[in-house]
Amino acid sequence: MSRELLKNAERIVIKVGTNSIMKDSNQVNLRQLDRIAFVISSLMQEGKEVLLVTSGAIGVGSSLLKLEEYPKEIPDQQALSSIGQSTLMTLYSQFFSSYGQTVGQILFTRDVIDFPVSYENMQNALNRLLDLKILPIINENDAVSVDEMNHYTMFGDNDTLSAVVAKTIDADLLIILSDVDGLYDDNPASNPDARLIDHVTEITQDTHDMAAGKGSEFSKGGMTTKLNAAEIMLDYGAQMIIASSENPSCIFDILDGDSIGTLFSKGE
């Protein structure tokens, strides 16, 4: 029943992670960006309202500088984000333009959400972009966000950011494309018998216990942050899917109600 409801999703947030757009630490996956642009442009041509939350600024910055190792110091990461963000947006703009789709960039910090006036401004900006049939491309402003002392300006990861964005604009569905197929009952990398879970109706401690650690060196969260995002979506009564980013065209199948990835929704 819940999978059938996905056919009715009209306002959709799609989140892609760094692993999904990088071939390795020194190469952007241009073919993958093109696929993402094609899928989202097609959905918008069909009348869907789509927002894209993207990671990758730090990864792209690292590739531009051809770094052999991911830096650990915050100022280095902020610098990489600044370098990579403009290139990442340029790439997205070029690929989406080839499909006739205009994009707009939105960079957030957590304080935008925490203050009513800025929160309303954010809602207005996102809704107006959607009214104009423009794709909002959203990322955290890592170049100025911090996560130390008592500064509470970071979302900490784009999984959480994508769920906050979805809640803010009352999206019907959040699709998180990842380097994993969905939530498994055990770590599939070490247990070949691990089972992909099709449907989760609530997030419990047992659910969190299934979550693995971080993915690549550029990942901020892994499955744990995706479950945090799922909690936000379930709390406000919307649906979320975790699916593999290997072939972004799976989004078409998801919206046709096919059983792909792990669905998080209340009810049977």
Side-chain angles (χ1 to χ4, degrees):
M1 178 66 70
S2 293
R3 295 275 182 178
E4 285 294 310
L5 293 177
L6 296 176
K7 296 180 179 180
N8 300 323
E10 293 296 328
R11 182 169 283 194
I12 303 160
V13 176
I14 297 172
K15 184 264 176 177
V16 295
T18 302
N19 296 343
S20 302
I21 63 171
M22 300 291 295
K23 291 180 73 72
D24 53 48
S25 61
N26 280 319
Q27 276 190 300
V28 179
N29 191 333
L30 299 178
R31 183 180 183 190
Q32 193 75 334
L33 289 180
D34 183 47
R35 288 171 165 178
I36 292 168
F38 167 73
V39 171
I40 293 178
S41 299
S42 298
L43 293 177
M44 296 186 74
Q45 288 173 4
E46 293 171 5
K48 303 287 188 184
E49 294 182 321
V50 184
L51 302 90
L52 174 62
V53 176
T54 180
S55 301
I58 294 177
V60 172
S62 177
S63 71
L64 290 171
L65 297 184
K66 302 192 182 304
L67 298 183
E68 296 181 359
E69 193 172 282
Y70 180 59
K72 305 300 182 185
E73 298 298 322
I74 289 177
D76 292 330
Q77 296 175 15
Q78 291 172 317
L80 286 181
S81 174
S82 176
I83 295 165
Q85 185 64 45
S86 59
T87 299
L88 179 61
M89 276 304 301
T90 297
L91 289 170
Y92 273 127
S93 182
Q94 289 173 342
F95 281 114
F96 276 101
S97 177
S98 70
Y99 295 107
Q101 179 60 55
T102 303
V103 303
Q105 181 182 31
I106 301 284
L107 293 176
F108 286 148
T109 51
R110 186 62 181 253
D111 54 321
V112 172
I113 302 296
D114 293 336
F115 292 96
V117 173
S118 58
Y119 184 78
E120 183 179 357
N121 288 339
M122 179 190 70
Q123 285 181 309
N124 291 340
L126 291 174
N127 282 311
R128 186 56 180 149
L129 287 171
L130 294 175
D131 289 343
L132 294 170
K133 313 301 182 186
I134 294 172
L135 170 71
I137 299 183
I138 301 162
N139 198 354
E140 184 166 10
N141 193 355
D142 288 329
V144 298
S145 296
V146 294
D147 190 19
E148 55 187 357
M149 305 296 288
N150 291 320
H151 298 287
Y152 189 53
T153 59
M154 290 191 75
F155 291 96
D157 63 272
N158 278 341
D159 294 325
T160 301
L161 173 59
S162 65
V164 170
V165 169
K167 181 178 180 180
T168 299
I169 51 91
D170 196 24
D172 304 308
L173 174 65
L174 167 60
I175 300 174
I176 294 182
L177 296 182
S178 176
D179 55 355
V180 295
D181 298 330
L183 177 66
Y184 283 80
D185 61 0
D186 198 2
N187 187 345
S190 57
N191 180 5
D193 296 323
R195 181 178 62 88
L196 179 66
I197 298 173
D198 179 73
H199 189 190
V200 175
T201 58
E202 65 175 332
I203 309 297
T204 65
Q205 186 56 51
D206 287 341
T207 316
H208 279 288
D209 289 343
M210 297 176 192
K214 290 186 178 182
S216 78
E217 59 178 330
F218 294 112
S219 175
K220 286 187 178 179
M223 187 58 67
T224 296
T225 57
K226 292 171 180 56
L227 294 183
N228 293 339
E231 286 186 284
I232 294 172
M233 298 299 290
L234 291 176
D235 283 346
Y236 97 89
Q239 300 188 104
M240 184 182 110
I241 294 271
I242 300 173
S244 171
S245 63
E246 183 176 356
N247 182 6
S249 292
C250 73
I251 292 174
F252 295 134
D253 300 321
I254 288 170
L255 296 177
D256 282 339
D258 293 352
S259 183
I260 292 173
T262 299
L263 169 67
F264 295 82
S265 70
K266 292 184 176 179
E268 298 298 326

